[in-house]
Amino acid sequence: MNYVLVINAAISLIMGSALVLVWRRDPTQAFTRYIGWANLVQLLVPLTFLVKVRGDPFVDTIGNLALMVIAAGYSTLLLIGTAHLANRPLGHKLAWPILLTLALVNTAAVGLAGLRLGQASMATINTMLGVVCTYWLWNAGSTRYSSEKLVGPLLVLLGLIQFIYVVYQDAGTALLATLGALLRVMLGLVLLYAALDRGALATRRLQNRFERLTERSPQGILICQGSDSIVYANPACLAIYGVKSLAELQVATVAQTIPEAERKAVGRLLDQIQRGQKDDTGYEAQRHRVDGTPMWLRLHYFRTEWDGSPAVQVLISDETERYYASQALIYQALHDELTGLPNRTALIKSLRNRCNPAQPMQSAQHFVLVLMNLDRFKLFNEAHGHSMGDDVLRAMGQALRASMDPACEVMRLSGDEFALVCSSEDDRDTAVDLVTRVRQLLGRPLKVAHQELFLDASLGIALYPGSAHDAESLLRAANAAMHVAKRTPGTSYRLAEKAFERGSSNTLEQEQALRAGIERGEFQLVYQPKVNAHSGRLTSFEALARWNRPGVGVVSPVEFIAVAERTGLIGALGTHLLKQACEQIAHWQSRFESCVPVAVNVSPLQLLDPRFPELVAQILRASGVDSQWLTLEITESSAVQNLEQTTVQIEQLRSMGVHVAMDDFGTGFSSLNMLRSLRLHTVKIDRGLIDPLPNPQAIAVVRAICQLADALDLHVVAEGVETTAQTIAARDAGCAELQGFLYAQPLSVQDAEGWLERFAERWSETLEMPLQSGKLGE
């Protein structure tokens, strides 16, 4: 008896453990987990019988109750397991209610009628469980595995044999244990076979899935073992390399598809991945089809297993079309569409590559940059049409490319501008050679559409590292030099100076500083005296603008006036200076008994404003200065360019009592009709006519101007007087007032007030001062 129970327990242990281990190996087969644990729970039945045979009534009662609970647990696990086997899984939440219900039913049966009724209850429950399982597993479509259909009948038999104990009591225990052991062995074998069958089917499914994924994948898949052994290649991979079978690819070998320079590196890479020294890696490279056609592939290598041996899987994407498309986009981005030459972007890239900041300046590669701009090309377009202009640019690009060395880069930047970049050992020799070739090219007619055309160009030359140390500065320097070269007619060139390095950025910076300077009141006036030509007495001042720019120093009026006119700031600057001059006149009139008029220069652009006379009147009223103390000096060029409007403006100013003088007379477009039309008060002879004095021809010119002015009732002032001889000659020629460094340079407000003090206190002494004495008041 004990021997049979031990065998029964061993079988339950073996079959239960085997099923649980199957589940641990393949968690998707959940039925093996629950039925396995049901067998392990069944181990407790023989142990309980061994305890009951001792004959102790209390122990026997406890044993009976334990058998009912064990039976409930066994039935519950069996029910859940068979439900999973039949693909009708029960949720875990139902397990405890089922267990509790079965335990109560069995225990109640034992409590009412003893162990026999309890055993009958268990037998009935397990038999019904087998019937349900049979229905599930035999139901059409519930399973694909014929072996699993045996599980239901076996469970029914396991339930029915439990009635042996009900009939024979303890005498039937041995038979029950024997039959139970046999049936559980059969059930375990069936379940193990079912698990194996399911595992094989899952493997076949995975294999089919892999085959569908790889065979239909547009991405090439290659499996290698060793550095040159190909064991698998999908159709996409074969198509990429231009072969029809794996055998052809193996015959072609990797050596034919991989460039020779890369073969050793690829072999080492495959070996490292196969050995596990690298997990995976990827890159893009050029490869060749079997017929030699080049292609661009993206390759991704990673370690895998093939037939139980380590291998390398390669994912291959054919990027040839994308590569050539991207190359085309890059070409378009770096080349001019009209001429096919590299464009400005390419030039910047080339200059930055050449101007390597990491390279010591002593060992830097020298090169020459030439910017070339075709002169008057806009007029050419207007005369011949834009299509002809395009033909000219194409022809010029071809001619430049043909006339330069292959190593010299020829580029078209925009419009009619080209660039040449050439490495050199001797910068200046190379620059001379480039300029000579360009001039020789332009010296010959350019043949375009059966026509011969002559063109001129302006060339700006910058040397690296002589002219600048970085790409942007070098380009600015060459551009600035080119614009300077444009001032010379014909094909001309200019070598960039160090000052050109800042290029137009200096102009932009100055424009910004000018705006800020006007707002902050950085502009001041200095005053240069004018004296009577006969007595040397102070007659008036000319107010001259000065800009002491913070951090830079004194800026020439020639520079900032030009910037102000170019940016439209001349109106604001002129108004600021005119207010400052009138306020200074008012201050001097309140301080000194005697004062003199002050002349203020007016820009031609200010005269274009029809409200300018009204603005002058407002400033005079605001400062409390009478109009007779203010003189406005206009340039001869501005009067000629806008004669009609200037005439109207002067009439309005005269009606206000403001004096108007013509500055720099004699160097522009002098006209008798202009002097007659403009009702001026004063004419100032330009220093260019005063410098040659006392040359007889110069005296004759000055005398003629003075005679003309006298006939038109105009006052004459000589500018730029620097010597006594010039003073005497100008006075004798008829000039009434003199101005120049002989008497004083432009004075600060304090120094000008010193002149006014002497003018007020020593009036009589000033009248007697000889002209030979030098500067007035010394």
Side-chain angles (χ1 to χ4, degrees):
M1 173 68 180
N2 293 340
Y3 177 74
V4 174
L5 291 176
V6 170
I7 293 175
N8 189 286
I11 290 173
S12 296
L13 176 63
I14 292 171
M15 300 311 299
S17 300
L19 290 172
V20 171
L21 289 175
V22 169
W23 169 74
R24 292 292 300 273
R25 187 68 179 86
D26 185 5
T28 61
Q29 304 200 54
F31 72 93
T32 59
R33 174 189 182 185
Y34 295 106
I35 298 177
W37 278 107
N39 277 275
L40 294 177
V41 168
Q42 192 67 18
L43 278 172
L44 299 174
V45 173
L47 296 176
T48 305
F49 273 109
L50 291 175
V51 172
K52 281 168 54 65
V53 296
R54 294 183 179 181
D56 188 337
F58 178 76
V59 172
D60 185 65
T61 303
I62 296 300
N64 291 337
L65 293 175
L67 285 173
M68 299 303 104
V69 174
I70 293 170
Y74 170 79
S75 299
T76 301
L77 290 171
L78 206 58
L79 176 63
I80 294 174
T82 53
H84 277 282
L85 182 65
N87 295 323
R88 302 183 182 217
L90 299 175
H92 289 116
K93 293 181 179 180
L94 294 175
W96 291 107
I98 292 172
L99 174 64
L100 183 60
T101 300
L102 294 178
L104 289 175
V105 169
N106 292 336
T107 304
V110 171
L112 291 174
L115 183 61
R116 176 176 289 185
L117 183 59
Q119 190 69 26
S121 173
M122 289 189 296
T124 303
I125 290 172
N126 288 333
T127 302
M128 294 303 298
L129 175 63
V131 172
V132 170
C133 182
T134 301
Y135 172 77
W136 283 346
L137 294 174
W138 283 75
N139 186 278
S142 64
T143 180
R144 300 189 188 91
Y145 312 101
S146 57
S147 60
E148 296 176 5
K149 293 181 178 181
L150 297 174
V151 173
L154 289 173
L155 290 177
V156 171
L157 291 175
L158 282 171
L160 291 174
I161 65 173
Q162 291 181 6
F163 284 105
I164 294 175
Y165 187 85
V166 175
V167 176
Y168 298 104
Q169 294 291 309
D170 291 340
T173 301
L175 179 61
L176 175 62
T178 302
L179 293 175
L182 292 174
L183 289 173
R184 269 193 288 278
V185 169
M186 294 176 64
L187 179 62
L189 292 175
V190 168
L191 291 173
L192 289 174
Y193 182 81
L196 180 63
D197 201 12
R198 286 189 175 218
L201 181 59
T203 301
R204 287 195 299 273
R205 286 176 176 172
L206 290 175
Q207 184 177 356
N208 291 335
R209 184 181 303 172
F210 170 78
E211 290 176 355
R212 286 196 300 271
L213 289 174
T214 58
E215 298 298 311
R216 299 181 183 181
S217 171
Q219 190 175 41
I221 300 174
L222 191 71
I223 307 293
C224 297
Q225 284 184 328
S227 60
D228 58 357
S229 175
I230 302 173
V231 296
Y232 174 80
N234 72 339
C237 178
L238 299 177
I240 288 173
Y241 284 100
V243 296
K244 295 182 178 179
S245 66
L246 177 61
E248 289 183 55
L249 186 61
Q250 289 172 333
V251 171
T253 72
V254 177
Q256 284 183 258
T257 62
I258 301 176
E260 186 175 356
E262 294 184 44
R263 291 173 191 171
K264 291 184 179 180
V266 172
R268 286 194 301 270
L269 177 64
L270 290 171
D271 187 61
Q272 289 173 348
I273 293 177
Q274 190 165 307
R275 291 174 179 273
Q277 296 173 354
K278 279 190 175 182
D279 293 331
D280 66 300
T281 187
Y283 58 88
E284 188 172 299
Q286 186 183 34
R287 294 289 183 263
H288 293 84
R289 291 185 174 89
V290 173
D291 62 4
T293 306
M295 55 184 175
W296 284 90
L297 304 179
R298 180 172 293 280
L299 306 164
H300 185 204
Y301 299 81
F302 57 91
R303 193 168 186 266
T304 186
E305 186 180 291
W306 189 265
D307 291 338
S309 300
V312 178
Q313 181 168 334
V314 188
L315 299 181
I316 307 171
S317 300
D318 189 349
E319 302 289 336
T320 304
E321 290 186 8
R322 182 195 61 79
Y323 173 80
Y324 285 119
S326 65
Q327 290 299 110
L329 291 175
I330 293 172
Y331 182 88
Q332 291 176 6
L334 297 177
H335 287 77
D336 172 51
E337 183 178 357
L338 180 64
T339 64
L341 295 174
N343 58 13
R344 181 179 293 274
T345 303
L347 173 63
I348 295 295
K349 183 178 180 181
S350 175
L351 293 179
R352 286 176 177 169
N353 289 337
R354 291 171 180 268
C355 302
N356 188 356
Q359 188 177 14
M361 197 57 62
Q362 296 80 3
S363 59
Q365 180 188 18
H366 291 218
F367 66 91
V368 177
L369 168 64
V370 178
L371 293 188
M372 170 182 164
N373 186 265
L374 300 180
D375 294 340
R376 301 177 302 283
F377 192 74
K378 182 180 179 181
L379 296 177
F380 183 89
N381 267 336
E382 292 174 352
H384 297 278
H386 288 281
S387 60
M388 175 66 81
D390 291 346
D391 292 339
V392 170
L393 292 173
R394 277 192 291 266
M396 177 57 68
Q398 294 171 1
L400 283 171
R401 181 66 277 170
S403 62
M404 299 297 159
D405 292 334
C408 181
E409 297 180 80
V410 179
M411 307 177 183
R412 182 197 174 209
L413 306 189
S414 62
D416 53 3
E417 190 173 354
F418 294 83
L420 308 173
V421 181
C422 190
S423 300
S424 65
E425 294 296 331
D426 190 315
D427 298 344
R428 294 188 179 273
D429 288 348
T430 303
V432 170
D433 179 60
L434 289 176
V435 171
T436 301
R437 293 190 184 197
V438 172
R439 297 187 75 170
Q440 289 174 348
L441 172 64
L442 297 177
R444 300 187 298 269
L446 187 68
K447 294 183 180 180
V448 181
H450 307 294
Q451 297 186 44
E452 292 188 346
L453 305 172
F454 288 91
L455 298 174
D456 290 319
S458 300
L459 310 176
I461 307 167
L463 311 177
Y464 179 83
S467 301
H469 293 160
D470 61 83
E472 284 72 17
S473 298
L474 193 73
L475 190 57
R476 286 197 298 268
N479 189 66
M482 181 187 69
H483 283 288
V484 173
K486 275 189 169 294
R487 300 171 189 172
T488 304
T491 298
S492 57
Y493 65 91
R494 179 66 183 268
L495 180 64
E497 301 171 5
K498 190 66 177 176
F500 290 175
E501 182 177 353
R502 291 180 60 83
S504 58
S505 65
N506 192 32
T507 302
L508 178 62
E509 182 182 344
Q510 197 171 65
E511 290 176 1
Q512 298 298 317
L514 181 67
R515 295 176 188 272
I518 294 173
E519 293 180 3
R520 291 194 290 259
E522 295 174 0
F523 293 86
Q524 303 298 327
L525 290 174
V526 294
Y527 300 88
Q528 188 171 29
K530 301 176 188 176
V531 300
N532 186 284
H534 295 279
S535 65
R537 178 172 60 87
L538 175 67
T539 55
S540 62
F541 284 115
E542 179 181 4
L544 301 170
R546 293 292 183 267
W547 183 21
N548 189 7
R549 182 177 162 190
V552 175
V554 177
V555 181
S556 169
V558 176
E559 292 185 25
F560 70 75
I561 293 297
V563 174
E565 291 180 337
R566 183 172 62 250
T567 57
L569 294 172
I570 190 63
L573 178 60
T575 301
H576 170 71
L577 296 175
L578 185 59
K579 287 181 179 179
Q580 193 176 134
C582 290
E583 290 171 358
Q584 190 62 57
I585 294 171
H587 173 71
W588 283 341
Q589 287 180 340
S590 65
R591 179 175 175 184
F592 303 104
E593 295 181 4
S594 299
C595 192
V596 294
V598 175
V600 179
N601 291 288
V602 176
S603 167
L605 297 180
Q606 290 178 272
L607 290 176
L608 293 177
D609 185 358
R611 297 170 297 176
F612 179 68
E614 180 183 348
L615 174 65
V616 174
Q618 291 176 355
I619 292 174
L620 288 172
R621 287 195 298 270
S623 59
V625 175
D626 192 86
S627 58
Q628 65 177 334
W629 299 102
L630 177 65
T631 300
L632 299 179
E633 294 187 0
I634 64 173
T635 61
E636 181 183 353
S637 58
S638 66
V640 172
Q641 292 171 6
N642 306 283
L643 184 60
E644 184 176 349
Q645 186 168 355
T646 303
T647 302
V648 174
Q649 299 277 41
I650 291 176
E651 286 292 344
Q652 294 179 8
L653 292 170
R654 283 183 66 95
S655 65
M656 294 162 44
V658 176
H659 284 233
V660 181
M662 178 175 289
D663 198 8
D664 301 331
F665 183 79
T667 59
F669 304 92
S670 303
S671 166
L672 294 178
N673 183 57
M674 180 186 67
L675 289 179
R676 183 181 61 81
S677 301
L678 298 176
R679 298 187 61 207
L680 302 167
H681 295 88
T682 303
V683 171
K684 296 182 68 177
I685 301 176
D686 186 81
R687 66 179 302 155
L689 299 178
I690 301 299
D691 280 343
L693 295 179
N695 182 282
Q697 288 81 7
I699 292 175
V701 172
V702 173
R703 181 178 293 114
I705 294 174
C706 291
Q707 290 173 352
L708 175 62
D710 184 60
L712 296 175
D713 197 22
L714 296 173
H715 194 67
V716 180
V717 179
E719 292 185 284
V721 177
E722 296 184 356
T723 66
T724 302
Q726 290 174 343
T727 299
I728 295 172
R731 179 194 61 192
D732 294 344
C735 295
E737 283 185 279
L738 307 175
Q739 179 183 358
F741 287 178
L742 176 65
Y743 302 101
Q745 294 187 9
L747 306 171
S748 64
V749 172
Q750 292 77 12
D751 292 338
E753 289 177 351
W755 277 66
L756 288 173
E757 287 175 353
R758 288 189 289 275
F759 170 68
E761 296 174 1
R762 299 193 295 166
W763 176 277
S764 59
E765 295 180 19
T766 304
L767 289 176
E768 302 299 328
M769 289 185 65
L771 294 176
Q772 292 86 347
S773 63
K775 296 181 181 179
L776 184 64
E778 292 184 352

